[in-house]
Amino acid sequence: MEIWSHEILSVIGPSNSGKTTFLRTLNRLSDLHTAFRMSGAVEMDKRDIREMDVEILRRKIGMVFALPLPLPLSIFENVAYGIRMQGVRNKHELEQRIEEALRQGYLWDEVKDRLDESAFKLSGGQQQRLCIARTLAVQPEVILFDEPCSGLDPVSTAKVEDAMVELKKKYTIVLVTNNVKQAARVGDKTAFFLSGELVELDKTDRIFTAPQDRRTDDYISGKFG
Amino acid sequence: MSHPHRTQNIAFFFLLLATLLIVVPVGLIVVIIVQKGLPAINGQFLLDIPRQGMRAGGIFPAIVGTVYLVTGAIIFALPIGLLAAIYLSEYSRENMLTRLIKLAIVNLAGVPSVVYGLFGLALFVVFFKFGASILSGSLTLGIMILPIIITASREALESVPSSFREVSLSLGASKWQTIRHIVLPNAIPGILTGTILGLGRAAGETAPILFTVAAFYLPRLPHSIFDQAMALPYHLYVISTQVPNVDEKTRYGTAFVLLALVLVMNIIAVVIRTKFRKKKKW
C-alpha cells in the first residue's frame, strides 16, 4: 500500500485485526517485543526503514498512543523531552518550540500559565492534546495515531479530530480507530483490516459508499465488530 | 451443621495471633536492648577508645570501623549491582548466559555468611594481598549484599510501566536516554529500598568481617583503608564471650549503638526515598 504525504489514512477493523501492529511496524516500536517477526518491507522516501537509524526514524514518524500517556514530568518538560533528547540545550529555542507545539495542539491558552505543573493534573482530553503537542515538538513528517480518542468524551474527540484535519496540511497522518464514523469523518483513504489481513484499501468515500468486499460492507454497516 | 461465622472467627483469631507473634519478638528485642543498654550511653562511651581490656572506656573505634565498612560495601556494591540490574532488566535477552547469571545471583543470596568470610580471606586478604583491612572487609561485605541490591533494583526497574518506555522511544530517544531519563528516576525509591536492606545486613554481620578486617582489640582509629579496624558486631561478640567480667551494661550499650546506627542509616535512606516518591506523578 502507499501512503501519500499530506493525507490521512484511516485504518479500521475489529480488535485483534492487526491495526495497531501495523502502526507499530511503521515506527519500529514492534521491535521491542522479542517475539515480533516481520516479513516484507516498509519504505519511507524510498528507503527501507530497517536500514535507517531507529532514533532518526522515530523522530520522523511520531506517535500518539491510545491512552493519554504523559511522562511523569511537568507540562513543559513533557513537550521538551523529545527536543532535549536531540541535544537542544538553548533555553530560548526550547521555549519557542514548546509554545509553537502547544499552540498547534490547541492547548497553549489552557496551560500557558501553569507549564511547571505536573502533566497528570490535566484532564484526559488535555493530556491527549499534550501528547499530540509533544509529538509535534519533535517536528516529525508522519504522525501515527493509535485510537487517540478511545478514552475521550465527544467534545474532546471533536477537538482532537479538528486538530488532525488541521495537521494534515503539514504532516502525513495514519489514524487507527475503532470508530468507523471517525474514519469516515477525517480519512482521505481508509484501510480495512480483518484477522491480520488487509481486506480493502480505497478512497474513504468509496469504502463507505461502494465497498468492493462483502466483509467491508458488513463491518461498516455494523453487522459485526 | 457448620457455623461459617464461628469458623471465620477461629480463622481470624489464628491469623491475628500469628501477626502478633511477629510483633512480640521485635518489640521485646527493642525493649530489652533499650532498657539495659541506654544507661551505658554517654559521651565517654560513644567517643572514647576502649580501656582496661575493653572493660571500661568507650567504643568509638568500633563505631567508626562499622561506618567505614558499611560505606565501603555500599560504594562497591551499589554501582555494580545497579549496572548489573540495568543490564538484566533492560538489555539482556533470555538465553543460557542470562539464565546462568540469574541462577548465580540467587545462589549468591543463599550462601552462608561465614563462607563469604572464608572467601574474602582467600581472595582479598591472601591472593590480592590486601591483608586484613577495611578494604578486604568492605569488598567481602559488598559481595554479600550484591544479590540483595541486584534483586531489589531489578524489581524496581521492571515495575516502571512499559508505556513510559514506549512513549520515550517513540519521541526519538535512544534506549540509553530512555533508561537514564525515564526509567531510572522512577525506579530510585525501589533501588533505595534494596540498598537499605543491604546496608542493615552489612552493618550487622560478624562472620564476613571475622577473617577479613575485624581487630580483636585496637584502641585507636584506623589510619587508612589498608588498616585493620574494630567493628561493632565483632566487638559485641568479643566482649560477650572472649573477655571475662565485662559489665552487662557495656554489652547491651554496644548492642544499642549497633541497633541505633542501623536505624539512623535506614532513616536517612527512607527520607531520601520519600523525597523521590513525592516526585512520582502517576
Side-chain angles (χ1 to χ4, degrees):
Chain A
M1 75 165 75
E2 283 187 334
I3 306 167
W4 294 94
S5 49
H6 305 298
E7 73 172 9
I8 298 182
L9 168 73
S10 315
V11 181
I12 56 171
S15 318
N16 262 326
S17 57
K19 309 185 296 282
T20 299
T21 307
F22 164 70
L23 207 63
R24 283 165 168 260
T25 306
L26 297 182
N27 70 347
R28 287 180 58 189
L29 219 50
S30 302
D31 291 5
L32 299 183
H33 296 275
T34 39
F36 176 74
R37 295 287 174 276
M38 172 181 170
S39 60
V42 180
E43 290 184 352
M44 184 183 186
D45 299 332
K46 300 223 163 71
R47 274 185 69 195
D48 192 313
I49 59 165
R50 277 170 300 181
E51 285 163 15
M52 293 167 68
D53 194 26
V54 68
E55 285 87 30
I56 306 264
L57 173 79
R58 290 192 187 130
R59 269 173 221 168
K60 285 186 178 176
I61 306 185
M63 182 161 186
V64 176
F65 294 82
L67 295 169
L69 285 171
L71 295 168
L73 302 166
S74 70
I75 297 173
F76 183 90
E77 285 304 322
N78 257 282
V79 187
Y81 185 78
I83 311 174
R84 279 193 201 279
M85 292 306 114
Q86 294 178 20
V88 176
R89 291 264 147 72
N90 185 320
K91 200 161 182 274
H92 184 69
E93 190 189 340
L94 270 176
E95 282 171 357
Q96 217 168 19
R97 284 178 67 174
I98 285 160
E99 178 175 345
E100 194 190 315
L102 283 170
R103 279 187 195 283
Q104 282 186 314
Y106 294 104
L107 195 61
W108 175 251
D109 290 328
E110 290 161 61
V111 300
K112 64 183 172 195
D113 298 322
R114 47 175 183 147
L115 290 172
D116 290 330
E117 273 181 32
S118 163
F120 288 90
K121 289 196 177 159
L122 296 173
S123 73
Q126 287 174 326
Q127 286 186 13
Q128 192 60 307
R129 277 178 284 146
L130 177 72
C131 294
I132 295 175
R134 181 176 67 190
T135 307
L136 296 176
V138 187
Q139 296 173 338
E141 294 168 25
V142 182
I143 305 174
L144 312 175
F145 286 90
D146 186 4
E147 298 174 27
C149 303
S150 53
L152 302 184
D153 64 274
V155 178
S156 306
T157 302
K159 280 189 186 168
V160 172
E161 284 179 12
D162 287 345
M164 276 191 278
V165 175
E166 191 61 33
L167 291 172
K168 187 174 85 162
K169 292 173 191 159
K170 283 180 76 179
Y171 308 94
T172 306
I173 291 176
V174 183
L175 165 71
V176 160
T177 178
N178 265 326
N179 183 338
V180 176
K181 293 194 182 94
Q182 183 173 57
R185 280 194 297 266
V186 300
D188 295 304
K189 282 196 298 195
T190 297
F192 174 57
F193 276 60
L194 185 64
S195 314
E197 195 187 328
L198 174 64
V199 175
E200 195 168 346
L201 166 69
D202 211 331
K203 288 216 159 55
T204 296
D205 29 349
R206 279 186 59 91
I207 287 268
F208 283 94
T209 51
Q212 302 297 304
D213 196 293
R214 235 195 99 71
R215 291 169 293 176
T216 315
D217 196 15
D218 287 351
Y219 182 72
I220 58 176
S221 59
K223 288 205 179 122
F224 75 99
Chain B
M1 272 290 282
S2 69
H3 299 273
H5 272 288
R6 192 183 296 165
T7 323
Q8 176 169 292
N9 286 340
I10 292 169
F12 274 163
F13 174 74
F14 279 108
L15 292 174
L16 183 67
L17 195 67
T19 314
L20 285 179
L21 277 177
I22 303 165
V23 180
V24 169
V26 176
L28 277 181
I29 289 172
V30 173
V31 167
I32 291 173
I33 300 278
V34 170
Q35 196 181 36
K36 294 191 174 181
L38 200 57
I41 307 299
N42 54 43
Q44 196 208 7
F45 186 71
L46 292 176
L47 297 173
D48 197 11
I49 57 169
R51 294 174 196 282
Q52 296 170 27
M54 296 181 262
R55 288 180 192 88
I59 54 166
F60 189 54
I63 298 176
V64 171
T66 288
V67 170
Y68 279 170
L69 285 173
V70 170
T71 313
I74 292 289
I75 288 175
F76 169 68
L78 186 57
I80 296 184
L82 185 55
L83 292 177
I86 291 175
Y87 175 77
L88 286 173
S89 81
E90 305 292 324
Y91 285 101
S92 71
R93 297 196 172 227
E94 195 66 26
N95 57 33
M96 267 305 281
L97 180 69
T98 54
R99 269 204 293 275
L100 204 68
I101 293 172
K102 284 171 191 167
L103 192 71
I105 293 168
V106 173
N107 280 311
L108 204 56
V111 173
S113 58
V114 68
V115 177
Y116 283 108
L118 270 178
F119 168 76
L121 174 68
L123 187 71
F124 301 122
V125 179
V126 177
F127 184 76
F128 284 140
K129 300 195 173 64
F130 293 154
S133 63
I134 294 179
L135 183 63
S136 302
S138 294
L139 291 172
T140 310
L141 287 172
I143 290 180
M144 182 186 75
I145 61 173
L146 258 181
I148 304 173
I149 292 183
I150 295 178
T151 311
S153 304
R154 259 183 65 201
E155 277 167 16
L157 291 166
E158 278 161 16
S159 72
V160 176
S162 64
S163 54
F164 286 172
R165 291 163 225 254
E166 291 186 349
V167 166
S168 170
L169 291 172
S170 81
L171 290 168
S174 69
K175 192 157 184 176
W176 171 246
Q177 284 175 325
T178 302
I179 294 168
R180 163 79 186 72
H181 295 282
I182 299 297
V183 182
L184 265 185
N186 289 300
I188 281 179
I191 294 168
L192 279 175
T193 308
T195 312
I196 295 171
L197 290 173
L199 221 131
R201 179 105 198 268
E205 281 285 350
T206 312
I209 56 173
L210 194 57
F211 317 119
T212 54
V213 51
F216 185 83
Y217 180 57
L218 190 72
R220 60 170 173 79
L221 295 185
H223 297 309
S224 77
I225 57 166
F226 294 105
D227 205 355
Q228 270 195 293
M230 296 182 83
L232 283 172
Y234 184 60
H235 183 64
L236 185 58
Y237 163 76
V238 166
I239 58 175
S240 304
T241 62
Q242 307 297 304
V243 183
N245 303 327
V246 178
D247 260 357
E248 189 190 65
K249 211 173 73 172
T250 313
R251 302 204 302 259
Y252 279 97
T254 308
F256 178 83
V257 171
L258 179 57
L259 212 63
L261 197 68
V262 174
L263 191 69
V264 167
M265 290 177 183
N266 282 4
I267 289 173
I268 293 172
V270 168
V271 168
I272 301 174
R273 187 174 64 179
T274 319
K275 243 176 110 178
F276 274 104
R277 276 225 179 113
K278 272 199 197 126
K279 289 214 277 184
K280 192 162 156 176
K281 289 172 186 152
W282 84 86

